[in-house]
Amino acid sequence: MTEHMTPPTTSSDDARWAPGTHVLWRYKENAGERVHICRPVTVAQDTDELLAVWMAPGTECVKPVLADGTPVHHEPLATRYTKPRALCRDRWFGTGVLKLARPAEPWSVWLFWDPGWQFKNWYVNLEEPRARWAGGIDSEDHFLDISVRPDRSWRWHDEDEFAQAQRAGLMGAGKAEEVRAAGRAAIDVIHAWGAPFSDNWQQWRPDPEWGIPPLPDDWDRTPAHVTS
């Protein structure tokens, strides 16, 4: 751990983070090993059933851009995943995001609010089950996502990027089918209105004393020990 990070409070049995602990929520690049997304977050809850973290407005993050600094989503889809990339630091603007992740599930659920804490929607981010290490968690984004509105209606997102990632060789056919199956499983949870949708997290609020966790200089460090 660096001096910029809050050391996790753990016990000899479960190595859980106490509420208020600062950790990193990271994604490695697709078809590679480099970390290309890093977001400092504050732990709201960490149990055997659920990890809940808060990304505050204004948090300094790391994200990929094209080599010339152009935002990735400004590049036409046909060349979006083949042009050289770089990493840059930027801040998360707008309202904060609450991220919920259950162990071994191939997705996390994010909650978004409009200004004034008007709940906007849930967002199911399909991803690799998260690997946990002393300073945070690591995953790999799977392109395809699902949004869920307060009236429980839902829809797929980024199906065009999901298809293009396969054409660009970032995901094989077998893995793509696994991701689709994970999406269908998430939709089953939505239809049944299971956890975490039924858990009233939209009424949750962060501790006003938490502040904004800093982005450490060694945000891309290789974890010494990883557990699933």
Side-chain angles (χ1 to χ4, degrees), residues 202-217:
Q202 60 270 35
Q203 302 302 322
W204 176 90
R205 299 293 183 267
D207 187 325
E209 300 297 321
W210 279 351
I212 301 175
L215 178 68
D217 293 336

Side-chain angles (χ1 to χ4, degrees), residues 21-66:
T21 301
H22 294 167
V23 298
L24 300 178
W25 186 293
R26 310 192 306 183
Y27 291 97
K28 69 176 186 177
E29 61 188 353
N30 303 94
E33 292 300 323
R34 181 178 67 161
V35 174
H36 75 156
I37 293 173
C38 180
R39 297 165 179 164
V41 295
T42 302
V43 174
Q45 176 181 308
D46 186 22
T47 67
D48 290 344
E49 292 76 33
L50 184 74
L51 173 64
V53 303
W54 169 246
M55 184 168 65
T59 298
E60 186 179 19
C61 305
V62 173
K63 68 178 184 180
V65 294
L66 299 185

Side-chain angles (χ1 to χ4, degrees), residues 148-169:
V148 186
R149 295 174 59 83
D151 64 4
R152 305 189 185 186
S153 62
W154 60 269
R155 70 182 183 93
W156 292 102
H157 283 265
D158 301 328
E159 292 186 276
D160 56 344
E161 293 191 348
F162 182 63
Q164 185 61 33
Q166 295 170 65
R167 289 192 290 268

